[in-house]
Amino acid sequence: MDSSRVFVNNVKRVIVKVGTAVVTRPDGRLAVGRLGALFEQLQELNSQGYEVILVSSGAVGVGRQRLRYRKFLNSSFSDLQKPQVELDGKACAAVGQSGLMALYDALFTQLDVASSQLLVTDNDFKDPEFRNQLCHTVNTLLALKVIPVFNENDAVSTRMAPYEDSSGIFWDNDSLAGLLALELKADLLILLSDVEGLYNGPPSDSKSELIDTYLKEKHDEKITFGDKSRVGRGGMQAKVKAAVYCATQVPVVITSGFTRDSILKVLQGKKVGTLFPTKRMMNEIVVSTKDINPRDMAVSARDCSRRLQSISSEERKKILLDIADALVANEAKIRAENEADVAAAQQAGYEKALISRLTLKPGKISSLAKSVRVLANMDYPIGQILKRTKVADGLVLEKISSPLGVLLIVFESRPDALVQIASLAIRSGNGLLLKGGKEAMRSNVILHKIITEAIPTSVGKGLIGLVTSRDEIGDLLKLDDVIDLVIPRGSNKLVSQIKSSTKIPVLGHADGICHVYIDKSADMSMAKKIVLDAKIDYPAACNAMETLLLHKSLLNSSDIKDIIYELKTKGVEIFGGPIACEELSLPKAESFHHEYSSMACTIEFVDDVYAAIDHIHRYGSEHTDCIVTSDDEVSDIFLKQVDSAAVFHNASTRFSDGARFGLGAEVGISTGRIHARGPVGVEGLLTTRWILKGNGQVVNGDEGVTYTHKNLPL
């Protein structure tokens, strides 16, 4: 979904206006095939729960074609030789309206949709009682899932002629659609045209470009309009005039009625046609007076990060504290958007594990705010002198901590990750580009808005960019000259795709296959608590236990049976390896190398600690693994030989977390071996620089230079 079209998530009532050029063919006959395709889209919206209102032109054009045909049939040859008088427009409207509605009713009936006809004139809207009754009638029809079809009643209008007089409350069906959008409190108006939208030049000119977002101060004086519609009343100029009028309160999209599924694409948030945003939308969504491409976004993040580095530690601290306060102050808004995401995910049939990661549970916002405050009060990480060396007399070399630059974080379904990552980036002085999963779109947008509003203008809101279109990721992954590190947080497939698509260094882990090994000397009461916590505390987390390994001597242990019973009682589905499957009558696990991310796990028996280590190395993901034992010698073997990012003795794997490690928060967990490993906090987002201070020294072939390389106190 494009960032400028996020508002469609809140659209319920939509008005669609079809012009004469869409309704009819060039010869004046009805475009039945095109209308059928449009009505199928309206039927789909109606079935999805949208309140759909149709405003239609075309009655005069259809009536004119019919009357010309009737006149031709009733004319003699001599009559046809005489000058032909133009048919009366009001008579054409009277004849065409019945034929148009007959076709509409037939098309809707075929799609099992009820429709109704409402003919209005501009004089009607001068009566307040009429306006009230109109709203009541339409609301009643929409509640019954009936699609109201509006048209101006040209046959009895007091205008001089329907194509000449533009006076009154509305002056054509475009302005009627705009008036109805305001009067009926619509959430969106879609004006269908015979072109893709509003262009900065003639649509037929190959050099002309489609304007995706209309900004009055930018485009009003730079656009020239061509001829009116071949059949309608006002063409594109009338549509723009109506759109600008309507967008004072209701957003408008002008798009093509000829393009397949154009209405559905608008409501899917795709960047089609030209958007006329409301003033409120301009404040809430990222719309620039120039088109922002991925490179511009990345360069902006880099420039803002350099400004962030130039301010004091206290100023950076204040930004984080302001963010924490803003999160708490806006908790109701955040929860509302998150609940909408969760409801949409449930309706779409997403897996429970994903919905669990998506949900911001009670207390989560205050917990996030607390972690941001902890991060704000930690020691200032940038510019720390890590090493000082006296290279030679009067020549001192310093190694200092420094931000990496610009980070691109791609994460799935966890909106809380956005807060953690953004706060870490600010504390470490890095620019940030974020791409969250589409299922968390509403949550991510509101969180991004709250966070960026806390960033002072001296730094710039471009410090943290939110990428909302999946198409932009491919372009961003090519920017190895601007982006310094990519951190994917998500499925194995996501991480693998990103690694194969970029030259930028990638930090992260593909799987979280964590093991708990219970040794024969384990305290079984302790083992039970650790196993239950590692699996049940947060099953969707990457540090949750996926495989329970048991020493073979525990095969007939009542304590092990008790642990299994407790797991099942808590709702955990248990699968077995070859031995456990046979001995404990468990369903067979499809693979040991499997991350359930849900209330499920695998159990298997092994010969000893060495067999457990071999199993972990063969099937694990080098994330987090734990041993439960009272034998210090056995624990020492396990801790030294298990080659994972985090290895625990007598502690739940759930402790493998940046906040629990005291890092304040984490940007992710790395199972790689270069730069950072395990939970990655502020330190993992830093690199180093060398600062050399002298007083005029030159190399000159090293003549006269006596190198001392003496370590100096910090």
Side-chain angles (χ1 to χ4, degrees), residues 585-621:
S585 301
L586 296 172
K588 186 177 180 181
E590 293 184 7
S591 170
F592 281 126
H593 188 79
H594 180 69
E595 183 177 11
Y596 292 100
S597 297
S598 63
M599 290 285 276
C601 70
T602 299
I603 292 180
E604 183 57 315
F605 291 92
V606 293
D607 289 342
D608 53 24
V609 66
Y610 296 104
I613 293 169
D614 289 343
H615 181 103
I616 291 169
H617 287 167
R618 183 175 182 182
Y619 299 109
S621 61

Side-chain angles (χ1 to χ4, degrees), residues 120 400 430 523 552 604 634:
V120 295
I400 67 170
N430 288 292
D523 178 325
K552 65 179 181 181
E604 183 57 315
V634 171

Side-chain angles (χ1 to χ4, degrees), residues 26-298:
D27 62 2
R29 296 178 182 274
L30 286 166
V32 179
R34 190 183 307 133
L35 286 170
L38 290 173
F39 278 42
E40 285 180 351
Q41 294 179 70
L42 299 181
Q43 181 272 334
E44 184 168 340
L45 295 180
N46 186 260
S47 66
Q48 290 177 7
Y50 287 95
E51 296 178 346
V52 182
I53 299 168
L54 179 63
V55 179
S56 175
S57 298
V60 174
V62 171
R64 177 176 286 107
Q65 194 275 336
R66 288 191 172 190
L67 288 178
R68 280 175 177 170
Y69 179 68
R70 301 310 307 176
K71 185 177 180 182
F72 174 77
L73 291 180
N74 294 309
S75 297
S76 64
F77 183 76
S78 61
D79 290 334
L80 295 175
Q81 304 306 308
K82 299 175 183 178
Q84 299 298 304
V85 179
E86 182 62 33
L87 295 168
D88 176 61
K90 296 187 181 300
C92 292
V95 172
Q97 189 63 43
S98 60
L100 191 65
M101 282 308 303
L103 174 63
Y104 284 8
D105 185 63
L107 290 172
F108 275 130
T109 300
Q110 288 296 314
L111 297 168
D112 196 25
V113 174
S115 64
S116 61
Q117 180 182 14
L118 293 97
L119 295 175
V120 295
T121 67
D122 66 328
N123 282 327
D124 294 330
F125 285 89
K126 296 175 182 177
D127 183 355
E129 290 187 10
F130 168 82
R131 292 183 177 225
N132 291 334
Q133 184 58 52
L134 177 70
C135 292
H136 176 75
T137 301
V138 171
N139 289 336
T140 302
L141 291 171
L142 293 174
L144 296 170
K145 303 202 77 172
V146 175
I147 296 181
V149 181
F150 279 89
N151 198 345
E152 180 182 7
N153 194 354
D154 290 319
V156 297
S157 172
T158 56
R159 298 181 191 281
M160 292 181 295
Y163 286 91
E164 298 173 8
D165 187 0
S166 60
S167 62
I169 294 176
F170 64 86
W171 49 92
D172 58 13
N173 280 307
D174 289 316
S175 57
L176 171 60
L179 175 63
L180 289 171
L182 299 174
E183 195 74 27
L184 301 174
K185 295 180 171 56
D187 301 309
L188 173 65
L189 169 61
I190 301 175
L191 299 175
L192 296 181
S193 176
D194 54 357
V195 292
E196 296 297 327
L198 180 62
Y199 287 80
N200 60 4
S204 57
D205 187 343
S206 60
K207 295 181 181 179
S208 296
E209 296 181 351
L210 179 68
I211 298 170
D212 56 69
T213 302
Y214 178 87
L215 303 171
K216 194 172 189 296
E217 62 276 10
K218 177 182 178 181
H219 299 117
D220 193 35
E221 297 179 358
K222 295 183 180 180
I223 296 174
T224 56
F225 296 96
D227 296 334
K228 294 195 300 182
S229 167
R230 60 176 171 82
V231 284
R233 199 174 305 177
M236 184 57 72
Q237 187 169 8
K239 286 177 174 56
V240 171
K241 185 178 179 181
V244 170
Y245 163 68
C246 181
T248 55
Q249 297 181 45
V250 179
V252 182
V253 174
I254 298 178
T255 189
S256 173
F258 289 67
T259 303
R260 182 178 178 84
D261 293 337
S262 57
I263 302 172
L264 297 178
K265 288 176 181 177
V266 169
L267 287 162
Q268 289 165 0
K270 296 183 178 178
K271 190 183 279 190
V272 296
T274 300
L275 168 66
F276 290 72
T278 64
K279 185 176 181 180
R280 181 180 177 184
M281 286 168 57
M282 293 294 292
N283 294 330
E284 293 186 353
I285 63 177
V286 181
V287 178
S288 174
T289 54
K290 64 176 183 177
D291 294 330
I292 297 182
N293 58 44
R295 171 169 286 277
D296 291 336
M297 188 183 294

Side-chain angles (χ1 to χ4, degrees), residues 386-525:
L386 307 175
K387 183 178 181 180
R388 294 182 76 237
T389 304
K390 180 181 178 183
V391 177
D393 284 342
L395 200 60
V396 176
L397 180 65
E398 294 177 346
K399 182 180 183 181
I400 67 170
S401 57
S402 173
L404 285 171
V406 177
L407 314 174
L408 169 60
I409 316 294
V410 183
F411 59 101
E412 295 179 340
S413 68
R414 283 189 58 182
D416 59 313
L418 187 149
V419 179
Q420 295 181 42
I421 295 165
S423 57
L424 281 167
I426 292 170
R427 192 57 174 152
S428 60
N430 288 292
L432 181 62
L433 302 175
L434 293 161
K435 172 63 177 79
K438 63 179 181 180
E439 62 281 351
M441 175 64 73
R442 297 175 180 87
S443 305
N444 291 339
V445 168
I446 188 66
L447 287 169
H448 176 260
K449 178 178 181 291
I450 290 168
I451 289 170
T452 53
E453 284 182 348
I455 299 173
T457 54
S458 58
V459 173
K461 292 178 173 31
L463 177 70
I464 301 174
L466 181 64
V467 181
T468 55
S469 171
R470 189 175 182 179
D471 297 336
E472 292 175 305
I473 289 296
D475 294 330
L476 288 167
L477 291 173
K478 297 174 184 176
L479 302 179
D480 55 302
D481 61 325
V482 185
I483 298 173
D484 300 284
L485 183 67
V486 181
I487 304 179
R489 294 183 57 164
S491 65
N492 193 328
K493 182 180 178 182
L494 171 71
V495 178
S496 300
Q497 283 179 342
I498 287 177
K499 284 184 175 180
S500 64
S501 304
T502 186
K503 297 178 182 178
I504 305 169
V506 178
L507 182 149
H509 72 277
D511 295 304
I513 304 173
C514 302
H515 297 76
V516 173
Y517 167 58
I518 301 179
D519 188 53
K520 63 181 179 180
S521 65
D523 178 325
M524 286 301 168
S525 176

Side-chain angles (χ1 to χ4, degrees), residues 609-610 613 627 632-642:
V609 66
Y610 296 104
I613 293 169
I627 183 172
D632 290 341
E633 184 179 344
V634 171
S635 70
D636 194 49
I637 292 169
F638 189 89
L639 295 175
K640 287 181 178 178
Q641 295 190 20
V642 171

